[in-house]
């Protein structure tokens, strides 16, 4: 397989189920990856970006933070 990773935009927090949907895998697989990293979580538990990034990296994805809206419109 090619060395390029699939990139996925991960929000600052999301549930285990939402993360599974985001990377098109079973929530069970996400929970297994969390457990492999010493994190006990259920399907409805909210995880932060850093935790989600570790999980998706272990599944062959590269996590990206969402782009923030430009604050130029607030400046006078």
């Amino acid at each position: 397989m090619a060395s390029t990773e699939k990139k996925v935009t991960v929000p600052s927090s999301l549930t285990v189920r939402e993360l599974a949907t985001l990377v098109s895998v079973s929530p069970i697989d996400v929970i297994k990856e969390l457990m492999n990293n010493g994190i006990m979580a259920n399907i409805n538990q909210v995880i932060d970006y850093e935790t989600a990034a570790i999980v998706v990296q272990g599944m062959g994805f590269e996590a990206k933070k969402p782009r923030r809206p430009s604050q130029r419109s607030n400046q006078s």
Side-chain angles (χ1 to χ4, degrees):
M1 189 164 184
S3 63
T4 58
E5 294 181 335
K6 301 173 212 163
K7 294 183 181 181
V8 62
T9 302
V10 178
S12 60
S13 63
L14 72 169
T15 66
V16 170
R17 181 189 311 266
E18 291 168 338
L19 182 58
T21 301
L22 195 62
V23 294
S24 301
V25 299
S26 167
I28 301 294
D29 293 331
V30 173
I31 292 170
K32 285 179 185 177
E33 190 65 34
L34 285 164
M35 290 175 72
N36 287 338
N37 286 288
I39 300 166
M40 296 298 294
N42 64 45
I43 195 168
N44 297 315
Q45 190 163 342
V46 176
I47 56 176
D48 62 6
Y49 172 84
E50 289 76 20
T51 303
I54 291 168
V55 170
V56 298
Q57 185 177 18
M59 300 177 120
F61 292 85
E62 180 182 339
K64 293 182 2 180
K65 289 187 177 183
R67 295 180 68 181
R68 289 188 173 177
S70 176
Q71 295 192 10
R72 292 181 189 175
S73 61
N74 293 342
Q75 296 176 350
S76 305

